[in-house]
Every structure is written in structure tokens, then in C-alpha cells.
Amino acid sequence: MPLSTISEPQIQLVKQYLLSLQDNICQTLALSDGKGDFVEDTWQREEGGGGRSRVLSKGAVIEQGGVNFSHVFGDKMPKSATAARPELEGRKFQAMGVSLVIHPNNPYIPTSHANVRFFIAEKEGEPSIWWFGGGFDLTPSYVFKEDAKHWHRVAKDLCAPFGDDIYTQYKTWCDDYFYLKHRDETRGIGGLFFDDLNKWGFDKCFSFMQAVGDAYLEAYVPIVEKRKQMPFTQRERDFQLYRRGRYVEFNLVYDRGTLFGLQSGGRTESILMSMPPLARWEYGYSPSPGSPEAELYQYLKPIDWL
């Protein structure tokens, strides 16, 4: 997809939206948790820009969750951004976004991730090159089909005003992106993933990014409320921690956002807030046939939930 050089973007409008989105998500998740609150940590980047990281730890529902806003800029694009886009070489850049990962206490509540972002690359005497990206995905240890259907129904509904094929296109992209090649399994049950979005012009592309950002709470909070009182034992907790290991593997081996953050000189603590507070690996682990733990593995592939 060619990167857009038309329809000059309104950078300040994007920033205002992202800051308000961070506020709304933190307030709503803290309310759902009922005990913890997000602690804010602001930071500055030496090369330009900064952000505000918000983390909730040891809550009643959320074991650890982070909701980060960042706005960074510089004179040279990181290698992770120019590897597939040589036309960006030698351009100044700005990147801003909200990224979040929520790791719940209860193994029956899935880990969730969401991200919306905006990039613009500029060079004197040439048109700006800009695009939006983002999405959200769900990583359960125990799959409830009604939760998966709800998650994907919200995703499909938000995509509907933008085209009949948008949900299918971005769901497939999510299944392909959040895939651990070395494990031959998806990270979870998917959702939406999009990048390089500029084909509709700035206003419509910005509207789609907002639709994705706004839909995250609608998709996730009902699942949290439904599952947070479910009793569990050490067996479920151990399996949850084992599956969190897969989350770590993906983020450190494949995730482009992690790579971009580290290569662009971002704040390491904020970049790695996506890591779970506890995880475990077990050599040669295989769940007992017919167990609830074994059931998960039949869902770690692209599935038409709707």
C-alpha cells in the first residue's frame, strides 16, 4: 500500500484524542478493578518528545496493567520503520500513540492488548508521509466461546461503517501478525490489526483509528465483569503463568512496536510494561489429554468466531 502524501494531517487533533483515550481507559479499568489505581510516571526522551506511563499493580482484578501514551520525534527514522519503507530514509519523524496491556489475576479473564498510533515523516521541500496503525487482541488461558464471539462482534461492528471487507481483512492480518512461528500457534484468539492506513485520506483514517480505540473498553470490560468472580485453584494459576511465557516470547522475538521503541531510544521501562509481573516456563510441558488446559490448543489458530 503506498504511503500517503496527501490530505495534510492535523497532528494536534490526534494527540488530543490519544490523551483523552488514555484517561478514559484508565478511569474505566480502575473502576472495574475496584481496588487499584493507575500511577502516572511522566518521562522525557533526550532526542525529542516523551510520554506518560500509567501502571496499575496488585489490584483486585488486574495483577498488572499498563496504559501508555508517547509522543516522540527525531531527525532519523529507526531501522524498524525504514526496513520495509526505504522512501522514509533521511526524513524527520513524529510518532505518537496509546498502547496498553492488561494482565489479570484470575486465569479465567484473558490478557488483553490494544494499540492505536500515528506516524508522520517529513522532509523539506517534499510532501509529508503519514499513516495510522493499531488494533486489539485477546489472549485467554481458558477460552469461553461466548467471550470470543463478543470480542469479535464488537470488532466487526466498529469496522462496518468503513467497508464490508474491513473486518475480514484486519482480522486476518491480526491472526497472521500475532503468530508464534516457533510454536506454530497464534498468541490468542485475535481481534484486529492494521498498519500503513492512509488510503481514505486523513479524516476517515483518523475516524477509523478512533473507532478502534473507543471500542476496546466495549469489547473487554464485559468479559472482565463476567469472569472476575469465578473461583480458581493453583492448577489454573500455574497454567496461566505458563501461557504468559508465550506472551513474553512474542513480545521479545516478533513485536514490531517493542523493536521500534527500543531502536528509537524510547523509555525502556515503558516499552517493556507489556511484560507480565509473573510468568513461568516448563521444559516439555504438555497438558493432559481431555483437560481444560488441553482445550486451549484447539483454538490457537485462525477461527471464524462469527
Side-chain angles (χ1 to χ4, degrees), residues 8-216:
E8 206 59 32
Q10 304 297 312
I11 298 174
Q12 199 57 37
L13 283 180
V14 178
K15 186 171 184 176
Q16 289 171 2
Y17 167 73
L18 292 170
L19 289 168
S20 67
L21 178 66
Q22 184 191 33
D23 288 341
N24 189 33
I25 289 174
C26 289
Q27 290 165 6
T28 304
L29 290 179
L31 198 63
S32 182
D33 183 90
K35 173 189 171 185
D37 208 351
F38 285 89
V39 177
E40 183 172 289
D41 184 14
T42 59
W43 54 275
Q44 297 296 318
R45 177 174 170 272
E46 190 174 329
E47 295 86 348
R52 58 186 199 189
S53 300
R54 292 179 179 171
V55 175
L56 189 158
S57 296
K58 301 177 182 177
V61 176
I62 299 171
E63 186 172 2
Q64 184 167 291
V67 184
N68 289 347
F69 165 80
S70 64
H71 177 199
V72 300
F73 45 88
D75 293 332
K76 185 179 179 182
M77 295 283 284
K79 290 181 181 178
S80 60
T82 59
R85 307 179 181 102
E87 70 274 22
L88 299 180
E89 293 268 4
R91 285 177 174 261
K92 296 181 178 180
F93 78 95
Q94 293 189 60
M96 64 180 73
V98 167
S99 181
L100 68 93
V101 177
I102 304 299
H103 293 289
N105 285 303
N106 193 314
Y108 291 116
I109 305 175
T111 288
S112 70
H113 160 256
N115 172 300
V116 284
R117 57 190 181 272
F118 174 71
F119 288 83
I120 183 167
E122 299 172 294
K123 191 173 184 178
E124 190 172 345
E126 297 187 20
S128 300
I129 297 175
W130 58 266
W131 67 95
F132 290 94
F136 50 66
D137 66 288
L138 200 66
T139 308
S141 300
Y142 296 89
V143 175
F144 295 92
K145 291 181 181 179
E146 62 266 36
D147 294 351
K149 288 178 181 179
H150 162 76
W151 181 261
H152 280 275
R153 173 56 59 192
V154 172
K156 185 172 185 178
D157 288 349
L158 80 87
C159 290
F162 298 89
D164 294 340
D165 63 334
I166 296 301
Y167 166 73
T168 301
Q169 179 183 340
Y170 291 162
K171 177 198 180 294
T172 300
W173 200 347
C174 186
D175 290 335
D176 292 343
Y177 180 74
F178 291 107
Y179 177 73
L180 287 84
K181 301 179 185 68
H182 62 286
R183 299 286 191 180
D184 191 25
E185 61 188 42
T186 55
R187 187 169 81 173
I189 60 133
L192 300 173
F193 180 89
F194 69 100
D195 205 0
D196 301 337
L197 179 64
N198 50 47
K199 60 184 177 181
W200 300 315
F202 175 79
D203 290 344
K204 189 173 179 181
C205 291
F206 182 29
S207 293
F208 181 76
M209 187 199 81
Q210 292 175 83
V212 172
D214 294 345
Y216 166 75

